Amino acid sequence: MTSSAPPPDPDRHPGAPPGDEPRLSAGERTELDALRHRVSALEGTGPAGAARHHWLRSTGSVLLILLASLLSVLSVVAVWADSIVRDTDRYVATVGPLARNPDVQKAVTNRVTSAVLAQIDVEKLVKDLERAASEKGVPTGAAELLGGLTGPITSGLKSLVGDTVERVVAGKAFDTVWVDANRRAHSALDKALTGESGGAVSVENGQVAIDVAPLVKQVKDRLVSAGLQPAALIPAVHTDFVVFASKDIGRVRTYLRVLEIIGSWLPVVAVLIAALGVYLAVNRRRALIGAALGVFVAMVVLGVALTVMRAIYLDRLPVGASEGAAAAVFDALVRFLRAGVRAVGALALVTAAGAFLVGPSPVAVRVRTVCGRGIGAVRDVAVSAGLPLGAVGRFVHRFKRWIGAVILAVAAIVLFTWSYPTTAVVVWTVVIVLAAFAIREFLDAGPGSPPGSAPSAAPSA
């Protein structure tokens, strides 16, 4: 229902009779008109301008967070590539366990056996036996019989050499030889991955191969010790054991080289971009949750991509290559990459959970309240038992937020300065951070309150 009554006159004093209201002066009237004009302008243009401003901030924040999520994938791969190329201990820790892998041992045994047998002239060995038999006066039939023993002699030599190589490879000494050879070869691996050749590692025809000549030397010495004197004539044999084979090795080598160059600073750039995206957001807490979940999704995608790449790599192996050995080598090379993916994913989930729990949602408030009451009850019991808080409690209450910021900063520094943080490192860091926050809440007795009194507010971050 509408009314025909005129709107109240703003110039009239409330409660004054209609004919007795005070009048504004000319200056007051001018000032009132100016104020009305400003209010009208703000009501007409303010919200639209603010909406445009918020839209620009939100769009920029989303784009920066998406870019940071993408860079997080490249950062993990870059750190892994840099560690494989530059960190000798990391490389040895990567390939060292392969010495005990049955598929790798079998592949090495077959390769070394073939190299040794290629240096033994079976036909010449049979002729030498025939000549020795003739000189000893063996009957002609027996001497001729020796001529037909080429096959059995070859089979016997293969068995003897194969068994000898297998004992060498399966022995504990092979672990030392394998690790030492790979440690010496690490500098050459750098050349291999950067396109240079030479040394104990080479890249030819899409293959990364390691020279296993030291194993041939050990087998030679054992064969001579076993009584096979012709093995003493085996020259120094340089034979290759293929560690990695792919038609795309040149392209992979280029990518690894680029990632190895940028590996030291790319993670820092990714973190700074994510921080800028969170800073630009209208709701920074939600933006932090979004950034953390974006990194987590990126890690999941990278983990799936590694599984797909493994299947593609094994499907494109050269003819005659050992699939078991190739799978073992691939898994060893990406073992620390997978560990990095899991660690970053765990850290992202923890960050998202932490940002959610400090928010205003009913679940977050309930969790903080329950934790605060539980810690307060423990504090009350401790104080009743004679634990004095006094100045410490007042200090903690006064600088509570600063203490929380220091705890988080220390945790961040630990994770960023840790050489290669694993999931276990992330979990233990979270546990220690939670314990530190619990201690902070325990010591917070409130402002100027008795030592046993609990703070009135729920615990904050």
Side-chain angles (χ1 to χ4, degrees), residues 412-436:
I413 292 173
V414 169
L415 290 176
F416 273 99
T417 56
W418 200 287
S419 297
Y420 304 107
T422 61
T423 305
V425 173
V426 174
V427 170
W428 278 109
T429 302
V430 172
V431 170
I432 294 173
V433 167
L434 293 177

PDB file of all heavy atoms in Angstrom, residues 412-436:
ATOM      1  N   ALA A 412      58.818 -23.796   6.965  1.00  0.00           N
ATOM      2  CA  ALA A 412      59.033 -23.536   5.536  1.00  0.00           C
ATOM      3  C   ALA A 412      60.522 -23.521   5.192  1.00  0.00           C
ATOM      4  O   ALA A 412      60.944 -24.069   4.167  1.00  0.00           O
ATOM      5  CB  ALA A 412      58.383 -22.207   5.148  1.00  0.00           C
ATOM      6  N   ILE A 413      61.323 -22.910   6.057  1.00  0.00           N
ATOM      7  CA  ILE A 413      62.774 -22.865   5.807  1.00  0.00           C
ATOM      8  C   ILE A 413      63.370 -24.272   5.822  1.00  0.00           C
ATOM      9  O   ILE A 413      64.213 -24.625   4.987  1.00  0.00           O
ATOM     10  CB  ILE A 413      63.459 -21.966   6.857  1.00  0.00           C
ATOM     11  CG1 ILE A 413      63.044 -20.504   6.646  1.00  0.00           C
ATOM     12  CG2 ILE A 413      64.975 -22.103   6.779  1.00  0.00           C
ATOM     13  CD1 ILE A 413      63.531 -19.566   7.732  1.00  0.00           C
ATOM     14  N   VAL A 414      62.924 -25.091   6.760  1.00  0.00           N
ATOM     15  CA  VAL A 414      63.430 -26.468   6.839  1.00  0.00           C
ATOM     16  C   VAL A 414      63.114 -27.226   5.557  1.00  0.00           C
ATOM     17  O   VAL A 414      63.976 -27.906   4.979  1.00  0.00           O
ATOM     18  CB  VAL A 414      62.821 -27.187   8.058  1.00  0.00           C
ATOM     19  CG1 VAL A 414      63.110 -28.688   7.993  1.00  0.00           C
ATOM     20  CG2 VAL A 414      63.383 -26.617   9.345  1.00  0.00           C
ATOM     21  N   LEU A 415      61.883 -27.109   5.079  1.00  0.00           N
ATOM     22  CA  LEU A 415      61.491 -27.847   3.877  1.00  0.00           C
ATOM     23  C   LEU A 415      62.206 -27.326   2.633  1.00  0.00           C
ATOM     24  O   LEU A 415      62.587 -28.107   1.755  1.00  0.00           O
ATOM     25  CB  LEU A 415      59.978 -27.757   3.687  1.00  0.00           C
ATOM     26  CG  LEU A 415      59.133 -28.528   4.707  1.00  0.00           C
ATOM     27  CD1 LEU A 415      57.654 -28.270   4.476  1.00  0.00           C
ATOM     28  CD2 LEU A 415      59.421 -30.022   4.633  1.00  0.00           C
ATOM     29  N   PHE A 416      62.406 -26.010   2.555  1.00  0.00           N
ATOM     30  CA  PHE A 416      63.035 -25.451   1.362  1.00  0.00           C
ATOM     31  C   PHE A 416      64.544 -25.655   1.348  1.00  0.00           C
ATOM     32  O   PHE A 416      65.159 -25.666   0.284  1.00  0.00           O
ATOM     33  CB  PHE A 416      62.708 -23.958   1.248  1.00  0.00           C
ATOM     34  CG  PHE A 416      61.421 -23.683   0.539  1.00  0.00           C
ATOM     35  CD1 PHE A 416      60.267 -23.426   1.251  1.00  0.00           C
ATOM     36  CD2 PHE A 416      61.353 -23.695  -0.836  1.00  0.00           C
ATOM     37  CE1 PHE A 416      59.068 -23.184   0.606  1.00  0.00           C
ATOM     38  CE2 PHE A 416      60.167 -23.460  -1.500  1.00  0.00           C
ATOM     39  CZ  PHE A 416      59.020 -23.203  -0.771  1.00  0.00           C
ATOM     40  N   THR A 417      65.158 -25.791   2.509  1.00  0.00           N
ATOM     41  CA  THR A 417      66.611 -25.985   2.553  1.00  0.00           C
ATOM     42  C   THR A 417      66.992 -27.463   2.628  1.00  0.00           C
ATOM     43  O   THR A 417      68.171 -27.780   2.507  1.00  0.00           O
ATOM     44  CB  THR A 417      67.206 -25.252   3.760  1.00  0.00           C
ATOM     45  OG1 THR A 417      66.567 -25.693   4.971  1.00  0.00           O
ATOM     46  CG2 THR A 417      67.022 -23.754   3.616  1.00  0.00           C
ATOM     47  N   TRP A 418      66.020 -28.342   2.834  1.00  0.00           N
ATOM     48  CA  TRP A 418      66.315 -29.779   2.831  1.00  0.00           C
ATOM     49  C   TRP A 418      66.672 -30.186   1.410  1.00  0.00           C
ATOM     50  O   TRP A 418      65.980 -29.864   0.456  1.00  0.00           O
ATOM     51  CB  TRP A 418      65.091 -30.544   3.315  1.00  0.00           C
ATOM     52  CG  TRP A 418      65.399 -31.933   3.801  1.00  0.00           C
ATOM     53  CD1 TRP A 418      65.729 -33.006   3.033  1.00  0.00           C
ATOM     54  CD2 TRP A 418      65.394 -32.394   5.151  1.00  0.00           C
ATOM     55  NE1 TRP A 418      65.929 -34.114   3.813  1.00  0.00           N
ATOM     56  CE2 TRP A 418      65.726 -33.758   5.126  1.00  0.00           C
ATOM     57  CE3 TRP A 418      65.137 -31.771   6.372  1.00  0.00           C
ATOM     58  CZ2 TRP A 418      65.808 -34.515   6.289  1.00  0.00           C
ATOM     59  CZ3 TRP A 418      65.219 -32.527   7.517  1.00  0.00           C
ATOM     60  CH2 TRP A 418      65.555 -33.883   7.480  1.00  0.00           C
ATOM     61  N   SER A 419      67.770 -30.923   1.262  1.00  0.00           N
ATOM     62  CA  SER A 419      68.260 -31.237  -0.083  1.00  0.00           C
ATOM     63  C   SER A 419      67.193 -31.928  -0.925  1.00  0.00           C
ATOM     64  O   SER A 419      66.830 -31.459  -2.002  1.00  0.00           O
ATOM     65  CB  SER A 419      69.509 -32.121   0.010  1.00  0.00           C
ATOM     66  OG  SER A 419      70.557 -31.430   0.665  1.00  0.00           O
ATOM     67  N   TYR A 420      66.682 -33.051  -0.447  1.00  0.00           N
ATOM     68  CA  TYR A 420      65.679 -33.793  -1.184  1.00  0.00           C
ATOM     69  C   TYR A 420      64.606 -34.279  -0.202  1.00  0.00           C
ATOM     70  O   TYR A 420      64.641 -35.413   0.271  1.00  0.00           O
ATOM     71  CB  TYR A 420      66.295 -34.988  -1.912  1.00  0.00           C
ATOM     72  CG  TYR A 420      67.419 -34.607  -2.832  1.00  0.00           C
ATOM     73  CD1 TYR A 420      68.741 -34.905  -2.512  1.00  0.00           C
ATOM     74  CD2 TYR A 420      67.170 -33.944  -4.027  1.00  0.00           C
ATOM     75  CE1 TYR A 420      69.781 -34.549  -3.344  1.00  0.00           C
ATOM     76  CE2 TYR A 420      68.203 -33.576  -4.870  1.00  0.00           C
ATOM     77  CZ  TYR A 420      69.509 -33.886  -4.523  1.00  0.00           C
ATOM     78  OH  TYR A 420      70.528 -33.531  -5.362  1.00  0.00           O
ATOM     79  N   PRO A 421      63.661 -33.401   0.150  1.00  0.00           N
ATOM     80  CA  PRO A 421      62.648 -33.800   1.138  1.00  0.00           C
ATOM     81  C   PRO A 421      61.759 -34.916   0.612  1.00  0.00           C
ATOM     82  O   PRO A 421      61.340 -34.900  -0.544  1.00  0.00           O
ATOM     83  CB  PRO A 421      61.838 -32.510   1.358  1.00  0.00           C
ATOM     84  CG  PRO A 421      62.063 -31.709   0.127  1.00  0.00           C
ATOM     85  CD  PRO A 421      63.442 -32.034  -0.355  1.00  0.00           C
ATOM     86  N   THR A 422      61.493 -35.889   1.461  1.00  0.00           N
ATOM     87  CA  THR A 422      60.617 -36.990   1.118  1.00  0.00           C
ATOM     88  C   THR A 422      59.270 -36.815   1.819  1.00  0.00           C
ATOM     89  O   THR A 422      59.071 -35.873   2.587  1.00  0.00           O
ATOM     90  CB  THR A 422      61.247 -38.322   1.536  1.00  0.00           C
ATOM     91  OG1 THR A 422      61.433 -38.311   2.970  1.00  0.00           O
ATOM     92  CG2 THR A 422      62.612 -38.509   0.863  1.00  0.00           C
ATOM     93  N   THR A 423      58.372 -37.745   1.557  1.00  0.00           N
ATOM     94  CA  THR A 423      57.066 -37.689   2.217  1.00  0.00           C
ATOM     95  C   THR A 423      57.231 -37.806   3.725  1.00  0.00           C
ATOM     96  O   THR A 423      56.516 -37.140   4.493  1.00  0.00           O
ATOM     97  CB  THR A 423      56.168 -38.818   1.694  1.00  0.00           C
ATOM     98  OG1 THR A 423      56.080 -38.728   0.264  1.00  0.00           O
ATOM     99  CG2 THR A 423      54.774 -38.722   2.279  1.00  0.00           C
ATOM    100  N   ALA A 424      58.173 -38.643   4.169  1.00  0.00           N
ATOM    101  CA  ALA A 424      58.415 -38.788   5.604  1.00  0.00           C
ATOM    102  C   ALA A 424      58.880 -37.467   6.220  1.00  0.00           C
ATOM    103  O   ALA A 424      58.469 -37.108   7.330  1.00  0.00           O
ATOM    104  CB  ALA A 424      59.449 -39.882   5.853  1.00  0.00           C
ATOM    105  N   VAL A 425      59.729 -36.737   5.502  1.00  0.00           N
ATOM    106  CA  VAL A 425      60.186 -35.437   5.999  1.00  0.00           C
ATOM    107  C   VAL A 425      59.007 -34.479   6.134  1.00  0.00           C
ATOM    108  O   VAL A 425      58.879 -33.752   7.136  1.00  0.00           O
ATOM    109  CB  VAL A 425      61.254 -34.851   5.050  1.00  0.00           C
ATOM    110  CG1 VAL A 425      61.610 -33.426   5.456  1.00  0.00           C
ATOM    111  CG2 VAL A 425      62.501 -35.724   5.061  1.00  0.00           C
ATOM    112  N   VAL A 426      58.119 -34.468   5.142  1.00  0.00           N
ATOM    113  CA  VAL A 426      56.943 -33.597   5.199  1.00  0.00           C
ATOM    114  C   VAL A 426      56.048 -33.971   6.376  1.00  0.00           C
ATOM    115  O   VAL A 426      55.583 -33.103   7.143  1.00  0.00           O
ATOM    116  CB  VAL A 426      56.156 -33.672   3.876  1.00  0.00           C
ATOM    117  CG1 VAL A 426      54.846 -32.891   3.977  1.00  0.00           C
ATOM    118  CG2 VAL A 426      56.994 -33.131   2.719  1.00  0.00           C
ATOM    119  N   VAL A 427      55.804 -35.279   6.554  1.00  0.00           N
ATOM    120  CA  VAL A 427      54.911 -35.723   7.634  1.00  0.00           C
ATOM    121  C   VAL A 427      55.487 -35.353   8.996  1.00  0.00           C
ATOM    122  O   VAL A 427      54.783 -34.829   9.872  1.00  0.00           O
ATOM    123  CB  VAL A 427      54.672 -37.243   7.524  1.00  0.00           C
ATOM    124  CG1 VAL A 427      53.948 -37.760   8.761  1.00  0.00           C
ATOM    125  CG2 VAL A 427      53.865 -37.561   6.273  1.00  0.00           C
ATOM    126  N   TRP A 428      56.781 -35.622   9.187  1.00  0.00           N
ATOM    127  CA  TRP A 428      57.393 -35.293  10.483  1.00  0.00           C
ATOM    128  C   TRP A 428      57.427 -33.788  10.726  1.00  0.00           C
ATOM    129  O   TRP A 428      57.278 -33.329  11.870  1.00  0.00           O
ATOM    130  CB  TRP A 428      58.796 -35.879  10.576  1.00  0.00           C
ATOM    131  CG  TRP A 428      58.798 -37.327  10.958  1.00  0.00           C
ATOM    132  CD1 TRP A 428      59.111 -38.403  10.180  1.00  0.00           C
ATOM    133  CD2 TRP A 428      58.442 -37.848  12.249  1.00  0.00           C
ATOM    134  NE1 TRP A 428      58.976 -39.559  10.886  1.00  0.00           N
ATOM    135  CE2 TRP A 428      58.576 -39.263  12.174  1.00  0.00           C
ATOM    136  CE3 TRP A 428      58.029 -37.282  13.445  1.00  0.00           C
ATOM    137  CZ2 TRP A 428      58.305 -40.096  13.252  1.00  0.00           C
ATOM    138  CZ3 TRP A 428      57.754 -38.112  14.524  1.00  0.00           C
ATOM    139  CH2 TRP A 428      57.896 -39.495  14.427  1.00  0.00           C
ATOM    140  N   THR A 429      57.625 -33.010   9.677  1.00  0.00           N
ATOM    141  CA  THR A 429      57.582 -31.551   9.835  1.00  0.00           C
ATOM    142  C   THR A 429      56.201 -31.099  10.275  1.00  0.00           C
ATOM    143  O   THR A 429      56.066 -30.238  11.157  1.00  0.00           O
ATOM    144  CB  THR A 429      57.965 -30.868   8.513  1.00  0.00           C
ATOM    145  OG1 THR A 429      59.279 -31.297   8.108  1.00  0.00           O
ATOM    146  CG2 THR A 429      57.964 -29.357   8.664  1.00  0.00           C
ATOM    147  N   VAL A 430      55.167 -31.684   9.685  1.00  0.00           N
ATOM    148  CA  VAL A 430      53.788 -31.338  10.074  1.00  0.00           C
ATOM    149  C   VAL A 430      53.534 -31.724  11.526  1.00  0.00           C
ATOM    150  O   VAL A 430      52.924 -30.970  12.296  1.00  0.00           O
ATOM    151  CB  VAL A 430      52.790 -32.029   9.131  1.00  0.00           C
ATOM    152  CG1 VAL A 430      51.354 -31.849   9.643  1.00  0.00           C
ATOM    153  CG2 VAL A 430      52.907 -31.475   7.722  1.00  0.00           C
ATOM    154  N   VAL A 431      54.008 -32.910  11.919  1.00  0.00           N
ATOM    155  CA  VAL A 431      53.813 -33.352  13.302  1.00  0.00           C
ATOM    156  C   VAL A 431      54.485 -32.384  14.281  1.00  0.00           C
ATOM    157  O   VAL A 431      53.908 -31.995  15.313  1.00  0.00           O
ATOM    158  CB  VAL A 431      54.359 -34.781  13.482  1.00  0.00           C
ATOM    159  CG1 VAL A 431      54.385 -35.171  14.968  1.00  0.00           C
ATOM    160  CG2 VAL A 431      53.516 -35.775  12.701  1.00  0.00           C
ATOM    161  N   ILE A 432      55.699 -31.970  13.961  1.00  0.00           N
ATOM    162  CA  ILE A 432      56.417 -31.043  14.844  1.00  0.00           C
ATOM    163  C   ILE A 432      55.718 -29.685  14.889  1.00  0.00           C
ATOM    164  O   ILE A 432      55.623 -29.054  15.948  1.00  0.00           O
ATOM    165  CB  ILE A 432      57.878 -30.908  14.368  1.00  0.00           C
ATOM    166  CG1 ILE A 432      58.609 -32.244  14.546  1.00  0.00           C
ATOM    167  CG2 ILE A 432      58.603 -29.802  15.136  1.00  0.00           C
ATOM    168  CD1 ILE A 432      60.001 -32.265  13.966  1.00  0.00           C
ATOM    169  N   VAL A 433      55.213 -29.221  13.743  1.00  0.00           N
ATOM    170  CA  VAL A 433      54.496 -27.946  13.716  1.00  0.00           C
ATOM    171  C   VAL A 433      53.237 -28.022  14.575  1.00  0.00           C
ATOM    172  O   VAL A 433      52.944 -27.103  15.362  1.00  0.00           O
ATOM    173  CB  VAL A 433      54.145 -27.565  12.262  1.00  0.00           C
ATOM    174  CG1 VAL A 433      53.127 -26.423  12.231  1.00  0.00           C
ATOM    175  CG2 VAL A 433      55.396 -27.152  11.503  1.00  0.00           C
ATOM    176  N   LEU A 434      52.488 -29.107  14.448  1.00  0.00           N
ATOM    177  CA  LEU A 434      51.287 -29.266  15.269  1.00  0.00           C
ATOM    178  C   LEU A 434      51.633 -29.317  16.752  1.00  0.00           C
ATOM    179  O   LEU A 434      50.921 -28.736  17.594  1.00  0.00           O
ATOM    180  CB  LEU A 434      50.529 -30.529  14.851  1.00  0.00           C
ATOM    181  CG  LEU A 434      49.895 -30.501  13.447  1.00  0.00           C
ATOM    182  CD1 LEU A 434      49.237 -31.833  13.152  1.00  0.00           C
ATOM    183  CD2 LEU A 434      48.881 -29.371  13.338  1.00  0.00           C
ATOM    184  N   ALA A 435      52.722 -29.999  17.076  1.00  0.00           N
ATOM    185  CA  ALA A 435      53.148 -30.046  18.479  1.00  0.00           C
ATOM    186  C   ALA A 435      53.538 -28.659  18.979  1.00  0.00           C
ATOM    187  O   ALA A 435      53.223 -28.287  20.121  1.00  0.00           O
ATOM    188  CB  ALA A 435      54.323 -31.019  18.624  1.00  0.00           C
ATOM    189  N   ALA A 436      54.204 -27.884  18.124  1.00  0.00           N
ATOM    190  CA  ALA A 436      54.590 -26.518  18.523  1.00  0.00           C
ATOM    191  C   ALA A 436      53.363 -25.641  18.752  1.00  0.00           C
ATOM    192  O   ALA A 436      53.304 -24.862  19.713  1.00  0.00           O
ATOM    193  CB  ALA A 436      55.495 -25.906  17.453  1.00  0.00           C
TER     194      ALA A 436
END
